[in-house]
Amino acid sequence: GMCNPGVIDGTPDPMANWRTSPGGSPLASDVDEDTFFDWTSSGGLVEATSACNGNGLCRSTVGGAMCPSYRATRDERHATRGRGNALRLAVTGQIGAEGGPDWDDADTLETLDLCLGCKACRYECPSHVDVTKLKAEYEAQRFRDLGRVPLRTRLIGHIRRINRIGSSCAPLANFMQRAWPCSWLIRSVMGVAPGRSMPRFARSIRSWMRSRPHDPASPTVLLLPDCFCTWGETDVAKAATRLLEAFGYRVVLPDMGCCGRTMCSTGMLETAQRTIARSARRLKAALDSTGAVAVVGVEPSCVTALQQEWRELRTDVDAGVMDQIAAMTATVEQFIVASWDQHPCRPRFDSTDDVVLLHVHCHQKNHSEEVADFLRRCGCAGVSLLDSGCCGMAGSFGYAKEHHVLSLKIAEQSLGTALRANPDAILAAHGTSCRHQVHDVFDRASMHPVELSAARLSMP
């Protein structure tokens, strides 16, 4: 019945033929047998890449956070829909010469290159097309086929190790980062844009944490030892500790290792699987030995790693353990607000009406109101929640010289108007990347919400 030559046609299933098949042959489906992520909940990797229904919400330019690179380029290719369709063609064998998945297609890689990994599509897309997760799977499959991971990618993926080494000789490392030719060498190898400042190292927070007095009867919370607050922005970890102690908790920094966030973000999923499995076992042991009531973190992207990637990557750790860890994990702000009436103590805060502009990390946009509520409860009455999208830094994305101009444009679109309209306002941002972007682009200081709240604690 092509074009109904007989006028009357049959009654095909309305759910059939939603997707075309190359040459009339079935789409490749055996890719689900050897994926890094478990795609069962999506019906398999092929179904996940075919989830886009074309509604085009990702082309919106106001409200929400999806999709930052499309908003800056206005190019369909760099919208969630464009990336989803490109991945579908590559994974289902519609562009490969042999009909199978093409894990090294130059056009697909170029389409994925400007994805910031903000996860806005995971939350805001009506079809829940999670390009961040799909991109990681595609790149991991590519690395496996190539048999190697590029040096620059490996360095970014192992940033925790770099931070630990830099922290051990912090003053010298900070000096070397600024001194030529070391600065030139680091920027050349890492591909850092010339206009970017480099994060500074600090002495490890661990000795300070061990010296904290505590009441053995106090319930314990584990503070997630992310590689930023442990060896760089240690003031944030100290503020979080003081705040949690004021609410009656003993705060312990477990020796659990890396959460795997940077490995997942760079597509190093094979390494991430081993790292996460090892860290999960050590964290579970710490939970059991301390009887901790929660795992709390100050870096939102690391918190979401425990809540999402730890459960969705294929590892040899029991799924029940991963589910338990995910259920017990939250940001400091979420934990304090969610258990506001159950905390052992209720500290007092010196209230202030100072204007506080709140920019929420992309991975926590769906908890924005909770963060604003946290600040209001903890003494910051003048909080104004910004309707901002991604800041444009997004981990290592904004550091890359090939992304630098786009990163600045995204920052301007997201934050420029609000910051210039409120030059004297305090800016709160709970992502280390967000704070670094604000410093580099707007030459302005910003603080983590827990720092603001800890500063408002009433001293006895």
Side-chain angles (χ1 to χ4, degrees):
M2 293 296 290
C3 298
N4 294 330
V7 181
I8 299 174
D9 196 9
T11 55
D13 185 342
M15 300 302 289
N17 303 318
W18 275 38
R19 296 290 185 192
T20 59
S21 300
S25 60
L27 299 177
S29 59
D30 58 348
V31 293
D32 292 318
E33 297 175 3
D34 197 20
T35 58
F36 293 94
F37 281 110
D38 182 353
W39 294 95
T40 304
S41 61
S42 301
L45 178 57
V46 170
E47 287 298 313
T49 61
S50 304
C52 176
N53 62 22
N55 66 82
L57 184 63
C58 50
R59 291 170 56 95
S60 173
T61 57
V62 294
M66 182 178 66
C67 173
S69 49
Y70 170 76
R71 293 185 179 190
T73 64
R74 301 298 172 91
D75 186 344
E76 164 82 15
R77 179 179 195 171
H78 300 299
T80 300
R81 183 168 68 181
R83 294 190 182 102
N85 285 328
L87 283 162
R88 173 173 55 84
L89 294 173
V91 171
T92 57
Q94 297 186 63
I95 55 177
E98 300 178 1
D102 189 340
W103 301 118
D104 196 28
D105 176 62
D107 286 336
T108 303
L109 291 170
E110 186 176 343
T111 300
L112 295 175
D113 181 56
L114 298 189
C115 171
L116 283 78
C118 67
K119 296 198 176 190
C121 49
R122 179 182 179 115
Y123 306 117
E124 297 179 17
C125 172
S127 300
H128 302 293
V129 178
D130 189 347
V131 174
T132 301
K133 184 177 175 182
L134 290 166
K135 176 185 177 182
E137 181 73 52
Y138 187 84
E139 290 185 326
Q141 294 287 349
R142 174 174 175 258
F143 294 152
R144 180 157 61 187
D145 277 5
L146 293 174
R148 60 181 177 82
V149 177
L151 174 61
R152 178 178 167 186
T153 302
R154 279 187 281 129
L155 289 172
I156 296 171
H158 289 290
I159 197 67
R160 183 180 182 88
R161 187 175 301 171
I162 295 174
N163 284 3
R164 187 173 67 244
I165 295 171
S167 172
S168 66
C169 54
L172 176 61
N174 290 330
F175 172 77
M176 297 294 283
Q177 279 195 133
R178 298 190 303 271
W180 194 93
C182 288
S183 175
W184 174 85
L185 179 62
I186 293 169
R187 291 176 182 275
S188 298
V189 173
M190 299 289 288
V192 176
R196 283 293 179 192
S197 65
M198 299 293 287
R200 293 177 63 81
F201 302 109
R203 292 295 187 186
S204 173
I205 192 68
R206 292 192 179 278
S207 59
W208 183 87
M209 292 289 293
R210 286 193 294 266
S211 68
R212 301 295 290 174
H214 67 273
D215 181 354
S218 299
T220 298
V221 294
L222 302 184
L223 181 62
L224 186 62
D226 69 75
C227 55
F228 309 108
C229 79
T230 306
W231 296 296
E233 296 182 312
T234 53
D235 287 345
V236 177
K238 291 177 180 178
T241 300
R242 287 193 294 265
L243 189 64
L244 290 163
E245 288 174 346
F247 277 93
Y249 294 97
R250 174 196 177 200
V251 183
V252 173
L253 197 71
D255 185 15
M256 54 165 272
C258 184
C259 71
R261 160 56 59 214
T262 55
M263 297 168 190
C264 294
S265 298
T266 54
M268 294 174 54
L269 297 186
E270 189 169 359
T271 304
Q273 287 175 317
R274 297 191 299 270
T275 300
I276 288 172
R278 182 170 59 251
S279 297
R281 294 189 185 95
R282 295 168 73 173
L283 181 57
K284 180 62 166 66
L287 285 168
D288 292 342
S289 64
T290 62
V293 297
V295 179
V296 296
V298 295
E299 180 55 38
S301 61
C302 296
V303 170
T304 58
L306 271 67
Q307 295 171 331
Q308 297 170 8
E309 279 82 358
W310 281 32
R311 298 176 65 229
E312 297 166 7
L313 265 178
R314 299 182 191 272
T315 67
D316 57 1
V317 179
D318 184 78
V321 171
M322 294 303 203
D323 289 342
Q324 177 193 1
I325 292 173
M328 296 181 70
T329 301
T331 63
V332 173
E333 303 95 313
Q334 292 166 3
F335 172 71
I336 288 177
V337 169
S339 304
W340 187 259
D341 295 323
Q342 289 80 44
H343 295 304
C345 299
R346 181 71 58 77
R348 293 181 58 193
F349 294 89
D350 296 324
S351 184
T352 175
D353 292 326
D354 292 344
V355 176
V356 177
L357 304 180
L358 173 61
H359 169 71
V360 178
H361 189 284
C362 287
H363 288 195
Q364 295 289 329
K365 290 291 187 188
N366 55 329
H367 295 288
S368 295
E369 291 294 344
E370 291 176 62
V371 183
D373 187 25
F374 162 81
L375 283 170
R376 294 187 186 104
R377 289 176 185 238
C378 297
C380 300
V383 173
S384 176
L385 177 60
L386 296 178
D387 183 17
S388 53
C390 181
C391 72
M393 181 61 91
S396 63
F397 182 89
Y399 285 102
K401 56 187 176 183
E402 66 269 22
H403 299 150
H404 185 58
V405 173
L406 180 65
S407 174
L408 301 184
K409 188 172 183 179
I410 292 172
E412 185 62 40
Q413 288 182 340
S414 179
L415 292 166
T417 300
L419 293 186
R420 291 190 178 88
N422 300 274
D424 299 322
I426 300 168
L427 179 62
H430 63 173
T432 185
S433 295
C434 308
R435 294 190 295 277
H436 203 103
Q437 180 80 321
V438 168
H439 172 271
D440 281 3
V441 179
F442 302 104
D443 192 23
R444 189 160 169 173
S446 54
M447 299 178 69
H448 194 291
V450 301
E451 291 182 287
L452 284 173
S453 298
R456 304 311 307 170
L457 282 168
S458 295
M459 293 297 105

